């Protein structure tokens, strides 16, 4: 699945997830889109002599839904063109860097080549610092904060973040959710594009500086020299020898001695000889070796990553939403794995869990109810026989009772372990049925229910595992979004 298809699919998922009441997409709209996408995917596969793929089905379905929404809501049509202005940015920034290098002022005086030219030394020094940083970045404390999303990354992922006017509230809410999710999903691709652009821009900036030197040399007579308050000729000779050593080792360029450096000091009598061409060649060759070639290699590596990610976008199709949709293609039924914690699931609540599994993962969904985890057990030991990252379970959910008061040492320890160990994330189910039976008819029962729900919400958010509240005796009491009703944690 390429980037554009993945973007459309994620956008449609955000819309369907937010549209609980079927305000903008009716049930008939969704069924028609799935049926038409199945027929188109099968026709294309038959025509090409290939098996039907999930990518083709999801692409066709997303395209139909987005087209229908564009026809119904004119403002929505502009959304499909959001990333378009980014192409100009990615292509234009390196061109701007080239022009900045060409027109950079005071690389040298109009009629002299400064051997200690601050702009040229700064270009070389900065690039060397960048190379060193790239080698040690992953070991730096702040270099590990790769998952923290920034405004810049979101902007470069979407091109714009302002919603069109006159959108239905549900659609606007869905777009906000999409922007947040897409910024995370496309983060690696966006950073690869940014790296490619910055490396290419740095190479072109150095090329522009070299072109500026040579262009000025054709219309002006350079005199070479240097001046310094704190450096003597020996120190300047040592500095320039180290700087130009790679260029002189590879290219047939004329070297220089300590006497040459002493003779080139500005301000002495007689004046330094006119010998600008040699130093222009030395600086140009050094910039080529230390800046242009390494930056082009880095840009090429970043471009390879961009192509790989954009052609095969890493979208997890094992998520509940996709598993339910792909049932139309004959995929394996989804499975909801439930890990009760200090919770005895009776026959009525077991039936409620089966109904929740069907609503989340389709009518053929299966339920895997694990034995209850005893209160106070060490999480790693209690879950030693549970393979949290196997592909059999579509969703893994831990089940708590709202009647219990959440405790950091017990409930929190279990959540922390599950969040760390579950690469695909876990869901948290909090069953309110028992607590509702106990306090629902009492005076102030509603207030106590609201307080306990707020407590569990805050507790689960703190442990990075959002809670979903259910009533296992009356599963219809809470609306769950089709295929995506359980908020999943993200592994740390």
């Amino acid at each position: 699945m390429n980037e554009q298809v993945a973007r459309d699919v994620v956008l449609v998922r955000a819309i369907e997830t937010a549209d609980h009441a079927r305000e903008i997409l009716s049930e008939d709209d969704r069924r028609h889109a799935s049926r038409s996408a199945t027929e188109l995917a099968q026709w294309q596969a038959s025509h090409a002599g290939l098996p039907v793929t999930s990518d083709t089905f999801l692409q066709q379905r997303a395209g139909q839904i987005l087209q229908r929404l564009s026809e119904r809501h004119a403002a929505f049509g502009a959304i499909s063109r959001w990333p378009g202005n980014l192409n100009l940015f990615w292509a234009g920034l390196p061109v701007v860097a080239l022009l900045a290098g060409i027109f950079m002022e005071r690389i040298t005086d109009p009629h002299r080549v400064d051997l200690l030219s601050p702009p040229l030394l700064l270009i070389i020094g900065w690039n060397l610092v960048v190379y060193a940083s790239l080698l040690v970045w992953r070991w730096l404390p702040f270099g590990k904060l790769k998952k923290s999303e920034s405004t810049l990354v979101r902007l470069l992922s979407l091109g714009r973040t302002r919603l069109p006017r006159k959108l239905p509230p549900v659609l606007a809410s869905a777009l906000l959710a999409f922007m947040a999710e897409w910024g995370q999903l496309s983060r690696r691709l966006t950073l690869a594009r940014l790296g490619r652009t910055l490396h290419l821009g740095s190479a072109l900036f150095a090329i522009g500086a070299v072109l500026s030197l040579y262009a000025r040399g054709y219309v002006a007579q350079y005199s070479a020299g240097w001046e310094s308050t704190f450096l003597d000729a020996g120190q300047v000779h040592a500095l320039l020898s180290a700087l130009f050593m790679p260029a002189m080792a590879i290219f047939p360029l004329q070297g220089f001695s300590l006497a040459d450096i002493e003779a080139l000091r500005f301000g002495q009598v007689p004046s330094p000889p006119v010998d600008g061409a040699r130093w222009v060649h030395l600086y140009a060759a050094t910039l080529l070796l230390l800046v242009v070639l390494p930056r082009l290699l880095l840009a090429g590596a970043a471009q390879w990553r961009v192509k790989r990610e954009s052609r095969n976008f890493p979208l997890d199709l094992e998520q509940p939403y996709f598993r339910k949709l792909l049932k139309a293609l004959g995929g394996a039924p989804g499975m909801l794995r439930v890990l009760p914690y200090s919770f005895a699931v009776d026959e009525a609540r077991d039936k409620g869990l089966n109904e929740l599994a069907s609503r989340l993962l389709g009518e053929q969904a299966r339920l895997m109810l694990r034995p209850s985890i005893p209160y106070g057990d060490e999480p790693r030991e209690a879950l030693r026989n549970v393979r949290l990252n196997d592909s059999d379970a579509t969703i893994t959910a831990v089940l708590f009772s709202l009647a219990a008061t959440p405790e950091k040492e017990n409930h929190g320890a279990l959540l922390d372990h599950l969040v760390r160990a579950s690469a695909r994330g876990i869901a948290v189910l909090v069953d309110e049925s028992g607590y509702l039976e106990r306090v629902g008819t009492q005076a102030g029962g509603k207030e106590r229910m609201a307080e306990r729900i707020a407590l569990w919400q805050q507790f689960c958010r703190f442990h990075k595992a959002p809670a979903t509240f259910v009533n296992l005796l009356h599963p219809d009491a809470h609306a769950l979004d089709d295929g995506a009703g359980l908020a999943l944690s993200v592994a740390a």
Side-chain angles (χ1 to χ4, degrees), residues 315-323 326 361 391-395 424:
L315 189 61
D316 183 11
L317 299 184
E318 292 298 316
Q319 295 178 14
Y321 171 86
F322 299 117
R323 288 286 290 268
L326 295 176
L361 302 174
S391 58
D392 295 336
T394 309
I395 306 176
R424 293 173 55 198

Side-chain angles (χ1 to χ4, degrees), residues 201-281:
S202 297
L204 291 178
F205 183 81
I207 291 174
V210 171
L211 292 177
S212 176
L213 280 173
Y214 278 106
R216 187 175 297 176
Y218 279 103
V219 296
Q221 177 66 52
Y222 282 136
S223 61
W226 63 278
E227 57 186 356
S228 174
T229 302
F230 301 105
L231 301 178
D232 57 28
Q235 293 171 322
V236 173
H237 178 265
L239 173 63
L240 296 179
S241 296
L243 179 64
F244 297 138
M245 179 177 61
M248 291 189 295
I250 295 177
F251 299 105
L253 298 173
Q254 181 181 357
F256 51 90
S257 64
L258 177 58
D260 294 331
I261 298 300
E262 291 177 341
L264 290 174
R265 185 160 192 163
F266 287 121
Q268 65 179 0
V269 181
S271 299
V274 175
D275 192 19
R278 172 171 55 163
W279 301 99
V280 169
H281 296 327

